[in-house]
Amino acid sequence: MLTLLNRWRSQPGGPSNASAFIRVLESPKSSVSDKVLVLKAFNDWDVLVNTWFEVADALPAVEKLLDVTAFPEHSSAALLVSKVYFCLEQYERALEFALRGDFNVVPAPRVGLGNDAEYVNKIIETAIDTYKIMSQQGIAAPQQLRELVDKIVARNLDNREIWYVISLGFETTNLPMIEKAISAMPAELNVKNQTTLVETLNRVVNGAFDRSFRFKVINTVIKTYLKCPSPDMSKICECYVLTDNAESAADTITDLISRNLSTRSYQIAFDLYETASQGFLDRVLRRFEQQEQPADAKSMEKVHSILKGHETVKAYLDFYVRHNHTDSVLMEEIKENIRTASAHNALLISNGLMQYGTTCDDFLRNNLSWVSKATNWNKFNAVASLGLIHHGQEASAMKVLDPYLPKESVEGFGFKEGGAMLAYGLIHAKHGDATAMSTLAQWLKTAENEPVRHGACLGFGIAGLGSSSVSGYEKIREVLQRDEAVSGESAGIAMGLIMAGNLNQEVFNELKQYTVDTQHDKTQRGIRTGLACASFGLQGDAEPYITEAIGAKSNPMLRSTGICMLSMAYAGTGSPDVVRRLLEKVATDPNLDVKRYATIGIGFVLSKDPNTCLSYVSMLTEHFNGHVRYGAAMALGIACAGTGNMEAIGLIEPMISDKEGFVRKGALLSLSLIMCQQTDYTCPKVNGFRKQLLKKIGEKNEDSLVKFGAIIAQGLLDIGGQNAAVSMHNSDGQPDMGSMVGMMCFLHGWFWHSMHFFIALAAKPSCLVMVNENLKIPVLDYVCHANSQKFAYPPRAESKKDKDIKKVETVVLSITGKKNALKKAAAAEEKKRREAAAAAALHAAAQSSSSASGGAAAGAAGEDEKMEVDQQGKPKKEKAPEKDTKPIHRLCNPARVIPAQRNLITISDPRSYSPMKPLYKGGIIVSDRIDKEREEKLVSEVVAQVSLPASSSNAELKPPQPFEINLTDY
């Protein structure tokens, strides 16, 4: 048989007509040894290339050999069947039999016609795809498939294809595979290895992975990454925040200071304050106290100041005051159109948003009599708005609010005092130090009126956001147990704010039981918002609580609570499974609140991916249910906040004319979130939208609810003196706790107007502040590689008086008309006389040449004089200001740099300072001075002083002194 096979294979043109050998495989009388020889011959690609279609007819006979236990060459038979199925393009069947054979992941060398590499690579591709699908579906892969994948991984590691293995580990969420790949890196890591580790961190940080899987991968990668020659410590500390590893973050800062890298440690401290919760920062500071060998005292003192928020608050306050560009004329125009109490309330809130952090309360000062018309909860909001205006002025907070804080006894019902307590919390938002928290706790303890307790609870919650303070939680719980509707609502919210991102079984059980027991729907709604805030970022850890809440079929309040928790737990993850669950609730749940919150939840989950959110929500904008349409508008506003996304604007604009008033209000709020800090260059529809808002506010027949939304939308457009933008993520692209929690509380404004203040938590200053190693702001120029008008402030509104002046036409009396006619006739006669005199002069010049020159000169002089007289009475035309056409322009430090502008910014003199992180990140950036011999000039601080406009004077004004609004008569 062997001789025949060799003669057949060596015939000219290659082997063909294999029917004789196929009969050997099919015949039961053929010997086992002959069948083995034939199988081995057909397994050679030089033979199979020309005969596979003949062998395909004999596949049943070959497959029967696999069932014969005594047959010695099961592997050869299985491999032949696999190759034939590969030729038939049935790759799943080819993989099935390859797993039963001796499949070699390394292709055989190419000889003759055969190409084993094509077959091997296709089997590997099919095996990997099958393994991925089974892993994603949670199905355990067969042992043979796992062994094949292990062989593939081993081959890649031998070839130093480490990133391929890590990617496969991510796609199959296989932690051991990732650990194996990282451990295979050499002891001395090169640049390529460091790049691989950074890419791994970026993939796990930005991907939609389970929280526990993410933590384990980060911990594994960082252990190896720290061995790199120059690891990115900022990236490492970002990972420490995600894994809640405060101790390691503290040790990293201390280590940098000990290595004389203080500026880098300052930058990490600034980043930690921006991204970490208060509880995390408190643990970092406690770790510093526990360290036996303290680092450089001066540097540690600066780090303490940064982590406690003093430097950040001071820098942002300086920026807001220096660049305040609030349109006071616009505020007056809106005020003139207000006729109802709800619009009055809305403008007070909107003014607080517009002047957020600017310390400018001119509108309230100039309209004291109008402000004093506020009654009851409007009075509460009027005083609370001062907390937004003076946000960051922590040292003078008590002085600013002293006229409104309770003295020996509370005046009236305590609306003014309650508003002052909320204002105090807003001044210390996300930054409640021990003094502020103890002050609020004392007010909470001594409060006698429900409005006072309401304000104290909200102030306590917003100041202690994310602190996870057990004692603070228990203080608020005492208010909840009083079983009052209004204070119970604020207590439920405040408990969630304190425990934000740290929900546990005890807190959930307690609040859930209270939701079932209480009869106050306001309290139930407050607990719903509170539990949603407490669930932020927990992902799978919150699933037991979410499942229990959503499963309450007879309690719609608990179901809506579960939906809110689901949205916040997976906020920013982009999880398609969560989106599917939310859409299912939109379609099937009969409760309107559940439908609305489920639709809005899509915006939270997909806040990192606006385009995907658009694809999911686009159909819902035309849903028959108004609550779903409102939710779709707000979902787009959340996902596309500050982007100017034209597709989202196109979907929302028709909803401004919706038949439901609350849908029109939601559309206006959503558009203001999307168009915030956009110009005609970046978003052509923004100026038209501004005019539309003023039109809505001024329309007499418009619903008061829509007017309320339009006024709040105006405040969102110009938030922070037109120097801030609402954003759901921090500069690293991670979901921001303050922003997500603030937006969830803002949505609670559907039920309670005071909650609109909380959107300020999501306002991020659009600034670029460079500080030196002493944390001072140096004089420095940036170059923006774009036209200055592209990112300029929007044009200011024209006052009504200016508009009226333009419309006035000059009135001409009859007697004046007669006089003007006589003047024109006299002028015509004078003109004829002069023309006659000129003709006579020319005639005389023709007769006498000596007098000709004098006559011509006289004639010319007369003509010049005539022309001068004719032009004298005409007004001079004013030249229109020239448009800036330069391709670049300069900005001074600290600069207003909106998000769309960041990628275009460079330092004008790159030899002056070396920043610790890229300028496109924005915010506060610490820099090293390169040329230390050159004299360094510092920017004068304006936290305690405000410069006059250049046209007025070079003198400087001090901030306005505190004033009292006379609300006692109402």
Short mmCIF file of all heavy atoms in Angstrom, two decimals, residues 78-101 103 119 122-123 126-127 148:
data_model
loop_
_atom_site.label_atom_id
_atom_site.label_comp_id
_atom_site.label_asym_id
_atom_site.label_seq_id
_atom_site.Cartn_x
_atom_site.Cartn_y
_atom_site.Cartn_z
N ALA A 78 -9.66 12.56 12.61
CA ALA A 78 -10.33 13.80 12.98
C ALA A 78 -9.74 14.98 12.21
O ALA A 78 -10.45 15.88 11.74
CB ALA A 78 -10.23 14.04 14.48
N LEU A 79 -8.42 15.00 12.08
CA LEU A 79 -7.77 16.09 11.37
C LEU A 79 -8.16 16.12 9.90
O LEU A 79 -8.37 17.19 9.32
CB LEU A 79 -6.25 15.94 11.52
CG LEU A 79 -5.42 17.23 11.40
CD1 LEU A 79 -5.88 18.26 12.42
CD2 LEU A 79 -3.94 16.92 11.60
N LEU A 80 -8.28 14.94 9.27
CA LEU A 80 -8.68 14.89 7.87
C LEU A 80 -10.11 15.40 7.70
O LEU A 80 -10.40 16.19 6.79
CB LEU A 80 -8.58 13.46 7.34
CG LEU A 80 -9.05 13.24 5.90
CD1 LEU A 80 -8.24 14.10 4.93
CD2 LEU A 80 -8.97 11.77 5.52
N VAL A 81 -11.01 15.00 8.59
CA VAL A 81 -12.40 15.48 8.53
C VAL A 81 -12.43 17.00 8.69
O VAL A 81 -13.15 17.71 7.97
CB VAL A 81 -13.25 14.79 9.61
CG1 VAL A 81 -14.66 15.39 9.62
CG2 VAL A 81 -13.32 13.30 9.37
N SER A 82 -11.63 17.51 9.63
CA SER A 82 -11.58 18.96 9.88
C SER A 82 -11.12 19.70 8.63
O SER A 82 -11.70 20.72 8.24
CB SER A 82 -10.65 19.25 11.05
OG SER A 82 -10.50 20.64 11.23
N LYS A 83 -10.09 19.17 7.96
CA LYS A 83 -9.56 19.84 6.76
C LYS A 83 -10.57 19.83 5.62
O LYS A 83 -10.69 20.81 4.87
CB LYS A 83 -8.26 19.18 6.33
CG LYS A 83 -7.09 19.46 7.29
CD LYS A 83 -5.82 18.76 6.83
CE LYS A 83 -4.66 19.08 7.77
NZ LYS A 83 -3.40 18.42 7.35
N VAL A 84 -11.31 18.74 5.48
CA VAL A 84 -12.30 18.67 4.41
C VAL A 84 -13.43 19.66 4.68
O VAL A 84 -13.91 20.36 3.77
CB VAL A 84 -12.84 17.23 4.27
CG1 VAL A 84 -14.00 17.19 3.26
CG2 VAL A 84 -11.73 16.29 3.82
N TYR A 85 -13.86 19.75 5.95
CA TYR A 85 -14.90 20.73 6.28
C TYR A 85 -14.39 22.15 6.07
O TYR A 85 -15.15 23.05 5.69
CB TYR A 85 -15.36 20.55 7.73
CG TYR A 85 -16.43 19.48 7.89
CD1 TYR A 85 -16.27 18.43 8.78
CD2 TYR A 85 -17.61 19.55 7.16
CE1 TYR A 85 -17.24 17.45 8.92
CE2 TYR A 85 -18.60 18.58 7.29
CZ TYR A 85 -18.41 17.54 8.18
OH TYR A 85 -19.37 16.59 8.31
N PHE A 86 -13.09 22.38 6.31
CA PHE A 86 -12.51 23.69 6.02
C PHE A 86 -12.61 24.00 4.53
O PHE A 86 -12.98 25.12 4.14
CB PHE A 86 -11.04 23.71 6.47
CG PHE A 86 -10.25 24.85 5.90
CD1 PHE A 86 -10.39 26.14 6.39
CD2 PHE A 86 -9.35 24.64 4.85
CE1 PHE A 86 -9.66 27.20 5.85
CE2 PHE A 86 -8.63 25.69 4.31
CZ PHE A 86 -8.78 26.97 4.82
N CYS A 87 -12.31 23.01 3.69
CA CYS A 87 -12.43 23.20 2.25
C CYS A 87 -13.88 23.44 1.84
O CYS A 87 -14.17 24.16 0.86
CB CYS A 87 -11.88 22.00 1.50
SG CYS A 87 -10.10 21.75 1.72
N LEU A 88 -14.82 22.85 2.59
CA LEU A 88 -16.25 23.05 2.31
C LEU A 88 -16.78 24.35 2.91
O LEU A 88 -17.97 24.64 2.80
CB LEU A 88 -17.06 21.87 2.87
CG LEU A 88 -16.86 20.52 2.16
CD1 LEU A 88 -17.50 19.40 2.99
CD2 LEU A 88 -17.45 20.56 0.77
N GLU A 89 -15.87 25.12 3.62
CA GLU A 89 -16.21 26.39 4.28
C GLU A 89 -17.24 26.21 5.39
O GLU A 89 -18.01 27.13 5.69
CB GLU A 89 -16.70 27.41 3.25
CG GLU A 89 -15.65 27.78 2.22
CD GLU A 89 -16.10 28.88 1.28
OE1 GLU A 89 -17.27 29.33 1.42
OE2 GLU A 89 -15.31 29.28 0.42
N GLN A 90 -17.24 25.05 6.02
CA GLN A 90 -18.05 24.82 7.23
C GLN A 90 -17.10 24.87 8.42
O GLN A 90 -16.65 23.86 8.95
CB GLN A 90 -18.77 23.48 7.13
CG GLN A 90 -19.78 23.40 5.98
CD GLN A 90 -20.52 22.09 5.95
OE1 GLN A 90 -20.66 21.40 6.99
NE2 GLN A 90 -21.02 21.70 4.78
N TYR A 91 -16.81 26.11 8.85
CA TYR A 91 -15.70 26.30 9.79
C TYR A 91 -16.02 25.83 11.21
O TYR A 91 -15.13 25.40 11.93
CB TYR A 91 -15.29 27.78 9.79
CG TYR A 91 -14.90 28.28 8.42
CD1 TYR A 91 -15.57 29.36 7.83
CD2 TYR A 91 -13.89 27.65 7.70
CE1 TYR A 91 -15.23 29.81 6.57
CE2 TYR A 91 -13.54 28.10 6.43
CZ TYR A 91 -14.21 29.17 5.87
OH TYR A 91 -13.87 29.60 4.62
N GLU A 92 -17.27 25.93 11.64
CA GLU A 92 -17.62 25.44 12.98
C GLU A 92 -17.40 23.93 13.07
O GLU A 92 -16.87 23.42 14.07
CB GLU A 92 -19.07 25.79 13.32
CG GLU A 92 -19.33 27.27 13.57
CD GLU A 92 -19.42 28.06 12.29
OE1 GLU A 92 -19.50 27.42 11.20
OE2 GLU A 92 -19.39 29.30 12.36
N ARG A 93 -17.82 23.21 11.99
CA ARG A 93 -17.60 21.76 11.98
C ARG A 93 -16.10 21.45 11.88
O ARG A 93 -15.62 20.48 12.49
CB ARG A 93 -18.31 21.14 10.77
CG ARG A 93 -19.83 21.24 10.82
CD ARG A 93 -20.44 20.23 11.74
NE ARG A 93 -20.34 18.87 11.20
CZ ARG A 93 -20.65 17.77 11.87
NH1 ARG A 93 -21.02 17.85 13.14
NH2 ARG A 93 -20.54 16.58 11.30
N ALA A 94 -15.38 22.27 11.15
CA ALA A 94 -13.93 22.08 11.06
C ALA A 94 -13.28 22.22 12.43
O ALA A 94 -12.39 21.43 12.80
CB ALA A 94 -13.34 23.07 10.07
N LEU A 95 -13.74 23.22 13.21
CA LEU A 95 -13.19 23.40 14.56
C LEU A 95 -13.56 22.22 15.45
O LEU A 95 -12.73 21.74 16.25
CB LEU A 95 -13.74 24.71 15.16
CG LEU A 95 -13.42 24.96 16.63
CD1 LEU A 95 -11.92 25.07 16.86
CD2 LEU A 95 -14.15 26.20 17.15
N GLU A 96 -14.79 21.74 15.33
CA GLU A 96 -15.26 20.63 16.16
C GLU A 96 -14.34 19.41 16.02
O GLU A 96 -13.95 18.80 17.03
CB GLU A 96 -16.69 20.27 15.77
CG GLU A 96 -17.26 19.09 16.52
CD GLU A 96 -18.62 18.67 15.98
OE1 GLU A 96 -19.27 19.47 15.26
OE2 GLU A 96 -19.04 17.52 16.27
N PHE A 97 -13.97 19.07 14.78
CA PHE A 97 -13.12 17.88 14.59
C PHE A 97 -11.65 18.19 14.83
O PHE A 97 -10.89 17.30 15.19
CB PHE A 97 -13.34 17.33 13.17
CG PHE A 97 -14.63 16.59 13.03
CD1 PHE A 97 -15.77 17.22 12.54
CD2 PHE A 97 -14.73 15.26 13.42
CE1 PHE A 97 -16.97 16.55 12.42
CE2 PHE A 97 -15.93 14.57 13.30
CZ PHE A 97 -17.05 15.21 12.81
N ALA A 98 -11.24 19.48 14.66
CA ALA A 98 -9.86 19.85 14.98
C ALA A 98 -9.59 19.67 16.46
O ALA A 98 -8.48 19.28 16.87
CB ALA A 98 -9.59 21.28 14.55
N LEU A 99 -10.61 19.95 17.29
CA LEU A 99 -10.44 19.78 18.74
C LEU A 99 -10.30 18.31 19.10
O LEU A 99 -9.70 17.97 20.13
CB LEU A 99 -11.65 20.38 19.47
CG LEU A 99 -11.80 21.92 19.37
CD1 LEU A 99 -13.09 22.35 20.05
CD2 LEU A 99 -10.61 22.62 19.99
N ARG A 100 -10.83 17.41 18.27
CA ARG A 100 -10.74 15.97 18.55
C ARG A 100 -9.44 15.38 18.01
O ARG A 100 -9.10 14.24 18.30
CB ARG A 100 -11.93 15.25 17.94
CG ARG A 100 -13.27 15.72 18.51
CD ARG A 100 -14.46 15.13 17.77
NE ARG A 100 -14.53 13.66 17.93
CZ ARG A 100 -15.51 12.91 17.42
NH1 ARG A 100 -16.49 13.50 16.73
NH2 ARG A 100 -15.51 11.61 17.59
N GLY A 101 -8.75 16.15 17.19
CA GLY A 101 -7.51 15.67 16.61
C GLY A 101 -6.30 16.34 17.24
O GLY A 101 -6.41 17.14 18.18
N PHE A 103 -4.41 18.94 16.74
CA PHE A 103 -4.30 20.19 16.00
C PHE A 103 -3.08 20.97 16.49
O PHE A 103 -2.90 21.19 17.69
CB PHE A 103 -5.57 21.03 16.19
CG PHE A 103 -5.53 22.36 15.50
CD1 PHE A 103 -5.71 22.44 14.14
CD2 PHE A 103 -5.30 23.53 16.21
CE1 PHE A 103 -5.67 23.67 13.48
CE2 PHE A 103 -5.26 24.74 15.58
CZ PHE A 103 -5.45 24.82 14.21
N TYR A 119 -5.38 27.16 6.76
CA TYR A 119 -6.23 26.29 7.58
C TYR A 119 -6.04 26.57 9.06
O TYR A 119 -7.01 26.75 9.81
CB TYR A 119 -5.91 24.83 7.25
CG TYR A 119 -6.45 23.83 8.25
CD1 TYR A 119 -7.81 23.58 8.35
CD2 TYR A 119 -5.58 23.15 9.11
CE1 TYR A 119 -8.30 22.67 9.26
CE2 TYR A 119 -6.06 22.24 10.03
CZ TYR A 119 -7.43 22.00 10.11
OH TYR A 119 -7.91 21.10 11.03
N LYS A 122 -7.47 29.95 10.17
CA LYS A 122 -8.93 29.98 10.19
C LYS A 122 -9.48 29.21 11.38
O LYS A 122 -10.46 29.65 12.01
CB LYS A 122 -9.47 29.38 8.88
CG LYS A 122 -10.96 29.61 8.69
CD LYS A 122 -11.25 31.10 8.61
CE LYS A 122 -12.73 31.40 8.51
NZ LYS A 122 -13.01 32.85 8.40
N ILE A 123 -8.87 28.11 11.72
CA ILE A 123 -9.31 27.35 12.89
C ILE A 123 -9.09 28.17 14.16
O ILE A 123 -9.95 28.20 15.06
CB ILE A 123 -8.56 26.00 12.97
CG1 ILE A 123 -8.95 25.09 11.79
CG2 ILE A 123 -8.87 25.29 14.29
CD1 ILE A 123 -10.42 24.73 11.74
N THR A 126 -11.74 30.91 14.30
CA THR A 126 -13.04 30.36 14.69
C THR A 126 -13.06 29.97 16.16
O THR A 126 -14.07 30.18 16.87
CB THR A 126 -13.37 29.13 13.82
OG1 THR A 126 -13.24 29.46 12.44
CG2 THR A 126 -14.78 28.64 14.08
N ALA A 127 -11.95 29.41 16.64
CA ALA A 127 -11.87 29.02 18.05
C ALA A 127 -11.96 30.23 18.96
O ALA A 127 -12.68 30.22 19.98
CB ALA A 127 -10.55 28.26 18.31
N LEU A 148 -7.11 24.48 23.64
CA LEU A 148 -6.67 25.07 22.39
C LEU A 148 -6.37 26.56 22.56
O LEU A 148 -5.36 27.07 22.06
CB LEU A 148 -7.73 24.86 21.31
CG LEU A 148 -7.44 25.50 19.94
CD1 LEU A 148 -6.12 24.98 19.38
CD2 LEU A 148 -8.58 25.24 18.97
#
